[in-house]
Amino acid sequence: MIFLRNENWRSYLRYYPVTCLILLANVVMHLIVFWNGGSQDNRVLLRFGALLNMPPYSEELWRNVTSMFLHSGFDHLFFNCFAILIFAPPLERWLGPSRYLLLYLLSGIVGNVLSTAYYNSISQPTLSVGASGAIYGIYGAFLYISLLQRQIIDEASRKTLYVLLIMGVILSFTRTEVSWMGHLGGLLGGFFIYGLIIRLLKLPRQNKS
């Protein structure tokens, strides 16, 4: 079962440096926002890089990245960080830190771009924050592995992934504060970006540990 974490903290830091940096960035940014007015204040979130599909903010493309490291409330931060903590490590080991970071960021960007396009199409002003698009990009990569590289993932992990995706779809369409297009965009982004990475970039040799 690849999603069971049994490393101690030193091993976790050693094997998954990018995952640790992402988690640290999420927590640090949450504390900074908290100290400057609160993570549920849209004005504060916007000041620190939230994504908003209204000019002039919609023209600031860097917000597609910065918004991934902001969260609205502690529960939002906690559940996203928990997902990263548990499910990201196997992908970082398989791809290597730089390729994993590339997939994480690009998946999040794809999710944000498609989400913005959707809300623009229905003329709905929307402020977006959170790592969910990038997290669904991780799920998308595992979906690719589960469907097209079945030999490198065990059956229990494959079933766990499918349950996660089913629950994620239900959650995305039943909670109005969740961007279902951001989740779907991240999932599709992760699926296709992973496929491109394994074809275009040489993967690190897998060592048993």
Side-chain angles (χ1 to χ4, degrees), residues 13 17 59 68 76 79 89 102 104 110 112 122 135 150 187:
L13 287 171
E59 300 168 5
M68 285 189 272
H76 190 203
F79 287 112
L102 180 66
Y104 183 92
V110 170
N112 282 336
I122 61 174
I135 292 169
R150 296 175 64 88
L187 183 72

Side-chain angles (χ1 to χ4, degrees), residues 145-155 158 162:
I145 294 167
S146 181
L147 296 176
L148 302 175
Q149 294 181 308
R150 296 175 64 88
Q151 72 279 5
I152 66 174
I153 187 170
D154 60 278
E155 185 65 25
R158 189 160 35 245
Y162 295 154

Side-chain angles (χ1 to χ4, degrees), residues 57-68:
Y57 305 105
S58 57
E59 300 168 5
E60 297 172 341
L61 300 181
W62 52 269
R63 292 179 180 274
N64 286 295
V65 176
T66 56
S67 61
M68 285 189 272

Side-chain angles (χ1 to χ4, degrees), residues 11 47 57 67-68 81 85-86 90 100 103 120 137-138 169 194 209:
S11 296
R47 178 152 59 95
Y57 305 105
S67 61
M68 285 189 272
C81 284
L85 181 75
I86 299 300
Y100 162 69
L103 181 137
N120 284 340
I138 293 172
V169 169
Y194 176 85
S209 57

